[in-house]
Every structure is written in structure tokens, then in C-alpha cells.
Amino acid sequence: MAVDQDLRGPHLLLAAATEVRSWEGEISQARGRQVRWVAGEYGRALAHPDHPLGNDADAATLFRRGPVDKYLELAGRGVLRVRAAAKAQSSDHSRQIRIEVLALLAKALGVHADLPPQPDPAPKPPVPKRARSLLRTSLQELADHGDARPGQIRMLAIGATVSDTGARSGELCAWRIEDLAPSLEELRIVRRPQGWSKDEAYVELIALSGLSRAALRRWLPERQALMERVRGTTTALWVSLHANHRGDYPVPPGTPLETRGLFRAWTNAVDQTNREMAGEPSWTPLPTRMEQLRRGVRPKASPAPWYPDAERAAQLLDDVAARGRELAKARRSDEPGTTTEHEARLACRKAVREAWAEGIEHVVQLSTLVEAGLADDAALAAAGWEPALLVAIDRAMGWGRPSKAKAV
């Protein structure tokens, strides 16, 4: 939608910001907040006595070099803040964000922006292998503490999976129960590298370490307890620990974490844990920035499809059904635990894993296994399904697994 060129000054900047934020697939939530911030800040600059323009400035004038430089100077001094801050001046990183956003606003208005050049950002050194090893040792020590609180358990699960996958915060927040392999041995991740468009994203499967699997087994029951007051279906892997609000509406614990909430949750949990664990023989303080966990991680990954191929999915489900029937038959025999049952378990687990890797939904596989004769938790566990994940799938569906639904 074109921006109304009859608008002026702050109103024109806010209209341009609305247009930029509507560019689905190009603008992330984080960038959208930055766009709104810069548009509002530049609008306040127009009312400042040191700025050469006023509230009647048009699109072409707003993005000339002189007015832009003055806005950046005022913003850098911190005089355009709505609320007072402990640190008056802003950082070079904030200046870079402002310039990037000004280019987007000018694009939305269809005008040329005469912006100051930006130096190439210095490359961030990867975390050395020794340091990453110490971080994993600290996570393992936390895992060995049986009295960890929910926030620490969630922190452990996040930290372990990030150190396995190298996931960004946005990728973390996008994880759903469906992205966990039935056995919790792998995880599906949609990679969205910084600066890439939505069309350039791709899907990978990454093997999880024993530490991550153990952490997820502890987190999933905590997650279940947190969602007692959440209505309807819920599929997000990471959820909040405490009640919060969105605008004027209160939200209960157990609602999905967004990127800002994830940052706060990680930092608070790490700060508290570092204080409590200080002095432990093998404890190395965890970093308060998650980026330090993921830098230097080069996971072995295999590509995965965005959506299942219909023909291949049908073949894989047929295989799941056949292997499920064989396992059900072996479990009904008078000699459980035999070589025959062991081989049937392995064959069924392999079929289940391949179907998940293709992108076949958990509930579809579980329906197939129920019809094959694997109708209870013990039977499904024999087929490779982690019990804690089965409970999470019940909650994610809002009405329970097919096995439970049929029993009603």
C-alpha cells in the first residue's frame, strides 16, 4: 500500500514505518520494532530546536544529508529518548541500526536517502573449542543437580540445544513440539540467516547430544505444569514461567516465549545460577549472552523438506504401519524380550524416525501405530516415542493422542 505523500513530518514517518512493517517475509519482528522506534525518534527530532526541519517536512527533505546527520547526532547524544536512561549516549551499534532503518523508510516513501556510510562490522571471533567445552561442563553440572528450579531447567535445555545446533534466538522461538524427533535424538530447525529473506530459509535436521536429550526430558514435564491455565492448543517448545501482560491483557504462565522474553529469561536465569554455583570445583560461569553459546558451533546437519512429499509420505506411513504390526505381534508373544521383539523394535523405530524426518506430523504417525496395535504408552515407548513427548503431544493437540481419543 502506497504511503500518503500529503502527510508531513512525524505523521509521514509513522506511515512509512507502518508500510515497512507490512512487508511480510522481509521484515522480522525485531526489525519491525526497530522501524517503529526510529520513525518515532526522528519525529521527535523534528520538534527539537537544534534540528533544521520542522513538523511540516516532506519526504524528499527528510532524507537529505544535513537533516539526517543532525537527527543521528541528537539521537546519539540521547536527547530524543522518551524515558531517561542510565547511559545517556547510544552506541555505534544503535547508530548503524538507525541508518539501516532510515534506508527502509526512504524506500517505503520512494525517495532517495543521502545517508552516511557505514563501516563493515568487525567479524566476531568464534568461541574457542576449550571455552565451549567448559560451557558444556557447566551445563552438565547443572543437569546433575536434582533440585534445579523450573527457570534453571529451562535454561539448561535452551543452553544445551543451542550448543548443539548453533540456533539464533528467532530460530529458537520458532521451535515447536513437532520439531522434536519422537526419540528426542534429533531436532528440526528452520534456518533463517541474518539478512536472508523468507524465501531463502531452509530446513535442517540436527542430532542432539545426550545432555540435550536429558535436559528436554526434564523440561517437558515442567512445561506441562506451566500450561495448566493456558486454554486451547499450544505447541511452542519454550514457554514463560510467570504471568505477564500484552498491552492491557494479562497472560498466564505457559505462553510462548518471544525473542525479547527469551533474552530476559536467559539472562536472569544465568545471573542467578552463576551466583549460586560460584565456588563449585568444576563451575565455569555461563555467558549472559546466548550468542556466546552458539558462536563457533558447526553442527553436522542433514537437509530436510519443508513439506512432506505426498507419495513418499504414503510409503513411509505404510512402512510405519507394517513395522508397528510386527512389533505389536512380537509384544503379544509369550516370550517378550526375545531377539524377534528386539529386531521388531529397531525396525519400528527406524520407520518412525524416517517418517518424522520427512515431516509427517506426530499425531498422524501415532494414529497409524494405534491402528497397528500399539495403543498404550508402553507400546509406543517400545516403538521409539519418548513418554514426556507423548504427554506434550496430548497437550499440543488440545484433546489428547488418538489412543486416548478413541477410548472416550
Side-chain angles (χ1 to χ4, degrees):
M1 181 181 296
V3 178
D4 184 356
Q5 297 292 327
D6 291 333
L7 295 173
R8 292 290 184 270
H11 298 293
L12 181 62
L13 289 165
L14 291 176
T18 300
E19 169 65 17
V20 172
R21 296 176 70 207
S22 72
W23 296 345
E24 186 177 353
E26 295 184 45
I27 303 298
S28 65
Q29 288 186 353
R31 179 61 93 186
R33 290 191 293 270
Q34 292 167 355
V35 168
R36 185 170 53 191
W37 160 56
V38 171
E41 193 178 56
Y42 197 178
R44 292 192 295 277
L46 299 178
H48 195 280
D50 290 345
H51 198 277
L53 301 181
N55 291 335
D56 59 347
D58 61 14
T61 308
L62 281 168
F63 294 95
R64 290 175 182 168
R65 184 63 173 272
V68 167
D69 284 343
K70 179 54 70 173
Y71 155 62
L72 293 173
E73 177 197 333
L74 294 171
R77 285 161 44 196
V79 300
L80 301 178
R81 297 180 188 272
V82 175
R83 292 175 292 183
K87 183 179 179 182
Q89 294 187 345
S90 62
S91 65
D92 291 340
H93 179 62
S94 297
R95 174 183 170 88
Q96 180 175 332
I97 291 174
R98 290 184 177 102
I99 295 173
E100 292 171 355
V101 170
L102 287 172
L104 293 173
L105 294 173
K107 179 181 176 181
L109 293 171
V111 297
H112 171 70
D114 186 4
L115 303 176
Q118 299 186 71
D120 293 333
K124 296 177 181 178
V127 177
K129 185 176 181 180
R130 170 63 176 163
R132 284 189 281 116
S133 176
L134 290 173
L135 291 176
R136 292 187 69 87
T137 299
S138 293
L139 289 170
Q140 184 64 60
E141 184 164 339
L142 181 63
D144 293 339
H145 278 247
D147 57 349
R149 294 181 297 278
Q152 291 176 317
I153 292 172
R154 183 182 62 182
M155 181 191 72
L156 169 63
I158 290 173
T161 52
V162 169
S163 65
D164 281 347
T165 63
R168 296 176 177 273
S169 58
E171 296 166 347
L172 272 171
C173 291
W175 282 345
R176 300 291 179 261
I177 292 299
E178 200 69 40
D179 294 319
L180 295 173
S183 63
L184 300 185
E185 293 179 348
E186 293 175 278
L187 189 145
R188 179 184 291 107
I189 179 170
V190 178
R191 295 291 192 188
R192 302 184 188 278
Q194 190 171 8
W196 289 32
S197 70
K198 185 176 181 180
D199 293 337
E200 294 175 295
Y202 57 95
V203 185
E204 290 183 332
L205 305 181
I206 297 177
L208 295 178
S209 63
L211 175 61
S212 286
R213 297 197 297 273
L216 287 168
R217 290 190 190 101
R218 293 181 67 181
W219 165 242
L220 288 173
E222 294 290 345
R223 175 185 177 276
Q224 180 76 5
L226 288 166
M227 294 190 298
E228 289 182 356
R229 294 172 54 196
V230 178
R231 297 181 179 180
T233 62
T234 180
T235 62
L237 179 56
W238 311 120
V239 299
S240 62
L241 303 179
H242 308 290
N244 207 325
H245 64 275
R246 289 176 182 164
D248 296 330
Y249 298 95
V251 293
T255 53
L257 278 183
E258 298 180 354
T259 51
R260 284 190 294 179
L262 182 70
F263 281 130
R264 288 195 298 268
W266 173 264
T267 301
N268 292 340
V270 166
D271 283 340
Q272 186 173 16
T273 302
N274 283 340
R275 290 195 299 270
E276 293 177 358
M277 299 292 285
E280 294 287 338
S282 58
W283 182 255
T284 300
L286 291 168
T288 55
R289 291 178 61 85
M290 281 192 296
E291 185 176 349
Q292 292 177 262
L293 280 178
R294 72 174 188 83
R295 279 194 285 128
V297 176
R298 297 292 184 269
K300 292 183 179 179
S302 56
W306 273 98
Y307 304 104
D309 175 79
E311 184 176 348
R312 177 165 168 74
Q315 294 173 349
L316 291 171
L317 280 176
D318 286 345
D319 192 36
V320 169
R323 303 291 83 78
R325 287 191 293 269
E326 291 173 1
L327 178 56
K329 180 180 178 181
R331 287 175 58 80
R332 289 194 300 267
S333 69
D334 295 332
E335 298 181 6
T338 62
T339 301
T340 300
E341 184 191 17
H342 179 69
E343 291 176 349
R345 285 184 180 220
L346 292 179
C348 191
R349 292 181 181 195
K350 180 181 178 182
V352 164
R353 187 269 169 193
E354 290 182 355
W356 169 79
E358 181 65 21
I360 297 174
E361 294 179 352
H362 288 328
V363 69
V364 175
Q365 283 210 66
L366 290 168
S367 295
T368 301
L369 291 171
V370 167
E371 292 177 0
L374 303 175
D376 57 35
D377 287 354
L380 291 171
W385 291 82
E386 179 63 39
L389 180 60
L390 291 174
V391 176
I393 295 169
D394 282 348
R395 185 63 182 83
M397 293 304 299
W399 46 263
R401 287 200 315 282
S403 57
K404 294 189 176 181
K406 291 186 175 184
V408 175

